[in-house]
Every structure is written in C-alpha cells, then in structure tokens.
C-alpha cells in the first residue's frame, strides 16, 4: 500500500482516477479555440436564416468571451465543461432547430461544424499540462499506484490528447463516455475504472475540476474526492469535494 499526502494529511491509496480537461490539461488552452470556432460557424449559419441564438452567445455552451470574441473563460458547471460530445451536439442542434432547421439536418450541420473545429485543434495541438502533474505521475509510478483517466470526452480523443502531452505511458486505463452507459455524475465510470484496475473503490482517489467528478467518486464509494481549482475564487462549485487543491504541489505520493 502507498499513501497520498494531501495538504499534509495522509491517505492510504492504491490508485488514482483523474479527469482530463481542466485536470490534466489547461481547459481553455485546448477547448477555448474549439468553442469559438463552432459558435462562430453556428452564428453565421443562423444569420443566413435571419435568426440568432435563443440565448446570449456565451450561455449556449457556458463560455466567457473578450471583445474580440476569444474564449477567455468558462462556467465549470456548464455544458462545455461537463457535457459529453452527444450532449453538446444536442444543445447546439437545438439552436438550429428553433431557427427552423429540421432536426436531422441540424444534427448533421453541428457534426460538420465539429469536424472543422476539431481539425483546427489537431493542427495546433494547443495542450498545456498543469505544473507539477508530471512529478505526481512519476511519484505514482514509483510507488506502484495504478492510474486511470475518466473523462466525458471520447476514449479516442482522450488517447490522442495524452499522446500530444507525452503522458500515455503513465495510465493503465482510459475511460471515455463511450465506454459506459451513463456518464458523470453517475458512478459507472469510476466503478468501471476500478474494476479494470483490479481495485476496490475504497482504495482509490478521484481528482477532477468539476463537481460531477466529485459526485461520481462519492457515489462509487472512493476513499477521497479531490477538487482541482487553480484559481481559488473559482472553487465554489466543488460542493462535494473532500479536499480542494490549487496545484499539484499540494499532493505527494509515497510508498509505505
């Protein structure tokens, strides 16, 4: 058994489940350009039809924009931060449907817009790993902990992003929304990860930046649910977290 030291407190631990976006990598760095691209394409298509969004632009996905339209922030409790690909597609397609576009055509258009936006992401590969994360992963490897990624993104996309960051080798399992029936905050993703790792949830810690991550872990019965909030003033949404950290320097893994 190893232990995870959190802000000086020690917890026996055999494995860690980590969310991806906003936990392993800087959320806005990767998904800000995607959100701007797809929202701009949506807005242009709606304008041609003589319509617009049914709500303020930033409320469609839960984004904050500057005067030039760049995405500079997001709602950690919003659809961009917590939704699956299918959920985001449905929300965006609804905007087109309310403007008179048949539902099947609306879904097709959103998927086409997504392909275009994702192509831009793949060209730029704008992923930024949070400071201190690699140290934690190295410590976990040397201590014999098993690690898994649990994400609302697809498994394929998560694998791709981990490869860009050079983190693939640290993780024993990658669980995307496509590998479960119910996504976060349902416990299924954590339960599946634990089963694949051969661990009991009581020996596992969850780390994530959304309260959906915290609820998933709590419902699965994990030992500890740690909320990750680099900006202290943006941690109020982590209502179900046992602990909240601002950076990975607040964590340490040791073999005991």
């Amino acid at each position: 058994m190893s232990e995870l030291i959190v802000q000086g407190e020690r917890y026996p631990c055999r494995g860690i489940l980590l969310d991806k976006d906003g936990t392993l990598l800087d959320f806005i760095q990767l998904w800000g350009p995607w959100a701007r691209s797809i929202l701009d394409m949506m807005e242009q298509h709606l304008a041609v039809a003589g319509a617009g969004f049914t709500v303020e632009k930033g409320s469609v996905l839960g984004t904050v924009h500057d005067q030039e339209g760049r995405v500079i922030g997001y709602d950690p409790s919003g659809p961009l931060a917590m939704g699956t690909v299918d959920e985001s597609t449905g929300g965006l397609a609804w905007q087109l449907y309310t403007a008179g576009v048949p539902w099947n055509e609306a879904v097709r258009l959103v998927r086409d817009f997504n392909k275009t936006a994702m192509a831009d992401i793949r060209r730029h590969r704008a992923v930024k790993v949070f400071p201190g994360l690699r140290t934690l992963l190295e410590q976990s490897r040397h201590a014999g902990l098993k690690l898994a990624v649990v994400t609302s993104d697809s498994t394929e996309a998560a694998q791709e992003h981990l490869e860009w960051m050079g983190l693939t080798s640290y993780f024993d399992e990658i669980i995307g929304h496509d590998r479960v029936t119910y996504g976060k905050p349902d416990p299924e993703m954590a339960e599946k990860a634990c089963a694949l790792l051969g661990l009991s949830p009581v020996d596992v810690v969850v780390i994530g930046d959304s309260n959906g991550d915290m609820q998933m872990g709590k419902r699965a019965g994990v030992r500890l649910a740690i909320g990750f909030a680099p900006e202290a003033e943006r941690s109020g949404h982590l209502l179900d977290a046992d602990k909240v950290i601002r950076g990975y320097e607040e964590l340490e893994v040791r073999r005991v």
Side-chain angles (χ1 to χ4, degrees):
M1 177 75 77
S2 298
E3 62 181 14
L4 177 66
I5 304 172
V6 187
Q7 298 168 337
E9 296 187 32
R10 300 170 182 270
Y11 299 89
C13 179
R14 294 184 185 276
I16 304 176
L17 312 183
L18 295 106
D19 172 51
K20 176 173 69 75
D21 300 312
T23 304
L24 297 181
L25 59 87
D26 187 297
F27 189 93
I28 286 297
Q29 191 85 8
L30 181 65
W31 293 111
W34 176 88
R36 178 181 183 177
S37 178
I38 202 164
L39 287 171
D40 285 350
M41 287 185 281
M42 289 279 296
E43 194 169 41
Q44 290 163 13
H45 191 87
L46 288 166
V48 171
F53 292 121
T54 60
V55 293
E56 191 271 326
K57 187 175 183 178
S59 297
V60 177
L61 291 173
T63 50
V64 179
H65 301 249
D66 64 15
Q67 292 183 340
E68 281 71 46
R70 292 186 294 265
V71 177
I72 57 173
Y74 67 99
D75 177 4
S77 299
L80 180 63
M82 299 180 71
T84 65
V85 174
D86 288 342
E87 289 167 349
S88 296
T89 297
L92 291 167
W94 173 257
Q95 294 292 323
L96 295 174
Y97 175 72
T98 59
V101 180
W103 182 253
N104 61 314
E105 179 67 7
V107 171
R108 184 193 67 78
L109 281 168
V110 171
R111 287 174 177 165
D112 286 346
F113 295 156
N114 181 52
K115 287 179 183 177
T116 300
M118 288 302 299
D120 286 338
I121 282 181
R122 291 190 174 97
R123 276 195 296 272
H124 295 100
R125 297 190 177 190
V127 291
K128 179 182 177 183
V129 180
F130 283 108
L133 173 63
R134 292 182 192 276
T135 298
L136 178 69
L137 297 179
E138 282 290 343
Q139 290 174 352
S140 298
R141 171 188 281 172
H142 294 316
L145 293 189
K146 293 185 177 180
L147 303 178
V149 173
V150 285
T151 175
S152 294
D153 207 348
S154 70
T155 303
E156 182 180 13
Q159 290 171 333
E160 186 175 27
H161 299 160
L162 289 173
E163 288 172 6
W164 294 352
M165 295 183 287
L167 300 180
T168 307
S169 64
Y170 290 107
F171 294 97
D172 301 284
E173 291 289 341
I174 301 172
I175 311 295
H177 73 86
D178 51 300
R179 295 188 67 184
V180 295
T181 302
Y182 302 106
K184 305 171 187 179
D186 191 272
E188 183 184 359
M189 195 174 286
E191 291 169 346
K192 185 178 184 72
C194 288
L196 291 170
L197 295 175
L199 300 175
S200 169
V202 73
D203 293 325
V204 170
V205 171
V206 164
I207 304 176
D209 70 317
S210 79
N211 203 50
D213 296 312
M214 304 300 98
Q215 292 176 331
M216 172 194 70
K218 288 294 190 66
R219 292 174 182 177
V222 302
R223 180 176 298 278
L224 196 68
I226 302 174
F228 182 70
E231 301 174 34
E233 67 275 11
R234 288 174 56 82
S235 62
H237 63 287
L238 295 166
L239 300 174
D240 292 290
D242 296 310
K243 292 280 188 178
V244 176
I245 62 171
R246 293 188 60 187
Y248 287 106
E249 66 278 0
E250 297 178 46
L251 304 179
E252 183 182 356
V253 176
R254 291 182 182 175
R255 187 188 291 273
V256 293

